[in-house]
Amino acid sequence: FSDETLSELRQAWARDDALRAMLGWYRAGARHPPRHAGRITVPSLLIWGEQDRFLGTQLIEPTMALCDQGQLIRFPSASHWVNHEEVDAVCSALESFFQS
């Protein structure tokens, strides 16, 4: 992340309610796990940073197995924040996907 982005994030995180809100998102996910609605039948694009410390690459195959028309783009050197680390490539992938 750039210094400017980190500064903006620190400002947002410094708000009185920020930590509670961030943790609440994870608490809610643990208390109310999403129900699987079945197969994903629309064209889908999965963009994955292979250096993600939170979502391991072992999740790719089961995720893609749910997609009838799934396309996967892996970024070997990107982390959980692939959209920040590979801005141009992610934008190009999205543009190509939506044009097809």
Side-chain angles (χ1 to χ4, degrees), residues 22-98:
M22 289 186 283
L23 293 176
W25 190 89
Y26 290 99
R27 270 192 236 113
R31 289 182 186 151
H32 308 285
R35 285 181 248 135
H36 186 279
R39 299 213 44 83
I40 300 166
T41 58
V42 298
S44 304
L45 176 63
L46 179 60
I47 294 175
W48 203 279
E50 292 185 0
Q51 301 305 311
D52 191 326
R53 294 185 304 167
F54 309 103
L55 302 172
T57 55
Q58 73 276 10
L59 297 173
I60 293 172
E61 186 177 321
T63 300
M64 292 302 293
L66 296 172
C67 302
D68 289 344
Q69 300 177 65
Q71 178 185 344
L72 169 65
I73 300 176
R74 298 169 79 132
F75 289 86
S77 62
S79 74
H80 189 71
W81 311 107
V82 64
N83 57 313
H84 290 280
E85 298 166 343
E86 300 284 351
V87 175
D88 293 339
V90 168
C91 287
S92 177
L94 289 170
E95 184 177 11
S96 294
F97 178 76
F98 288 121

